[in-house]
Amino acid sequence: MKKIYLVGIGHGNLDYLTVKAINTMKKVDVFFLLEKREHEDLLKIRKEILKKCLDTGTYRVVTAKIPERKKSKSYKEGVKTWRQQKAEVIAELIKSKMKDGESGAFLVWGDPSLYDGNLEILQHILKQGAVNFEYEVIAGITSVQILAEKHKIPLNRIGETIVITTGRKLKEYSPVEVVNVAVLLDSYSTFKHFKDTDIDIYWGGYLGTDDEILLSGKLKNIIEDLEKIRKEAKKKKGWLMDTYILRKPEGSESNE
């Protein structure tokens, strides 16, 4: 029986690789590195992790292009179609590039259980019967955890919950509903909808990497700097991975 590991690798910094992740990688016969044209830096980082953590010659590396997600009127339908296309690529890799009894791994940015579709894709492949295999999930350090670490803040405060969402879904929140919200990959710059409130922001770009950028303060006071930093970073690298927390100040009426 073939076995697949989804290994959470944090954000590319070896300091954020767990001992379990490293020990798991040492057992793997073949690593599948899926390449997005605009994210070649992330492919390079994965190769560097393998080079630094494993002995040369103990594993194989197979790279593959994955289809770009096309825009669709329905976000859910667009993602569903894209994941099905990606599933076809992954199923073929497992079928043709692994021998029976071998183990393979996908190195997942952050954690496989948070804002990542690979776990659902593997389950879809098995349900469709395209290829048979066992799988295991290895947890990783998330961008939300690194963000809290870097800004020296707890994720939760007394008597509060924390909401984890995306920029797309944040659009549905009114200012009064934003008490303690972590936002992942906000390509929409949705924080601009709250610029006239008393909300604090703790922002981080390329967290855990050499290109890491941090900014925090009263949103209305630093929003121009934040927009400039995001624009320059994206222009320089061609892409931006950012995470931030929007939080009402403690003692405000909404927190009582």
Side-chain angles (χ1 to χ4, degrees):
M1 176 73 76
K2 298 176 182 180
K3 184 164 186 177
I4 297 296
Y5 294 97
L6 292 181
V7 182
I9 58 171
H11 279 243
N13 187 324
L14 292 183
D15 291 341
Y16 293 103
L17 271 179
T18 67
V19 173
K20 186 175 183 179
I22 294 173
N23 287 338
T24 298
M25 288 192 293
K26 289 179 180 178
K27 299 185 293 185
V28 170
D29 298 299
V30 53
F31 290 91
F32 298 110
L33 305 185
L34 304 183
E35 180 181 351
K36 293 181 181 179
R37 185 179 61 188
E38 70 275 22
H39 287 179
E40 291 184 359
D41 286 354
L42 304 187
L43 180 65
K44 182 179 179 181
I45 289 173
R46 285 173 169 84
K47 289 181 177 179
E48 285 297 317
I49 286 175
L50 295 178
K51 186 183 297 185
K52 292 177 180 178
C53 291
L54 306 178
D55 295 329
T56 303
T58 60
Y59 59 91
R60 307 191 304 277
V61 173
V62 175
T63 60
K65 299 279 187 180
I66 57 175
E68 295 183 18
R69 179 162 64 87
K70 296 180 180 179
K71 291 184 179 180
S72 172
K73 291 182 179 180
S74 169
Y75 174 79
K76 286 187 176 181
E77 285 303 313
V79 172
K80 183 179 179 180
T81 299
W82 177 63
R83 286 188 177 180
Q84 288 173 344
Q85 293 171 340
K86 189 175 176 181
E88 292 175 5
V89 174
I90 290 175
E92 182 58 32
L93 289 173
I94 296 173
K95 186 185 298 185
S96 63
K97 300 298 182 180
M98 290 178 66
K99 300 175 184 177
D100 193 38
E102 285 192 323
S103 61
F106 295 88
L107 304 183
V108 178
W109 200 253
D111 181 86
S113 67
L114 183 63
Y115 206 51
D116 181 80
N118 285 294
L119 183 53
E120 290 182 339
I121 287 173
L122 290 187
Q123 293 168 347
H124 171 78
I125 292 171
L126 289 173
K127 186 177 180 180
Q128 294 297 312
V131 61
N132 195 27
F133 56 88
E134 298 176 333
Y135 68 92
E136 188 173 332
V137 177
I138 310 299
I141 303 298
T142 69
S143 62
V144 179
Q145 292 168 283
I146 300 175
L147 182 72
E149 173 196 283
K150 296 294 185 175
H151 285 293
K152 301 178 183 178
I153 58 173
L155 289 177
N156 68 301
R157 298 184 296 192
I158 297 173
E160 279 185 0
T161 58
I162 181 165
V163 175
I164 300 178
T165 188
T166 63
R168 185 180 62 85
K169 297 297 290 184
L170 183 65
K171 292 180 179 181
E172 301 173 8
Y173 283 72
S174 67
V176 72
E177 293 176 301
V178 176
V179 177
N180 193 26
V181 180
V183 184
L184 306 173
L185 299 179
D186 183 9
S187 60
Y188 305 92
S189 299
T190 313
F191 54 82
K192 292 190 291 186
H193 297 310
F194 307 95
K195 63 181 180 180
D196 296 322
T197 69
D198 196 39
I199 289 175
D200 296 323
I201 187 169
Y202 300 87
W203 179 87
Y206 312 114
L207 288 162
T209 73
D210 293 337
D211 298 310
E212 181 178 271
I213 314 169
L214 299 172
L215 190 66
S216 65
K218 196 70 64 180
L219 177 60
K220 59 187 176 184
N221 294 339
I222 67 170
I223 190 167
E224 290 185 4
D225 290 338
L226 178 55
E227 289 185 299
K228 181 180 179 181
I229 287 172
R230 293 178 85 252
K231 184 177 180 180
E232 291 177 349
K234 193 168 184 178
K235 182 179 180 181
K236 180 180 178 181
K237 293 182 71 68
W239 57 276
L240 172 64
M241 273 191 175
D242 65 342
T243 305
Y244 61 84
I245 289 175
L246 292 179
R247 179 173 285 180
K248 280 208 170 69
E250 286 191 286
S252 65
E253 186 177 343
S254 296
N255 287 345
E256 292 178 358

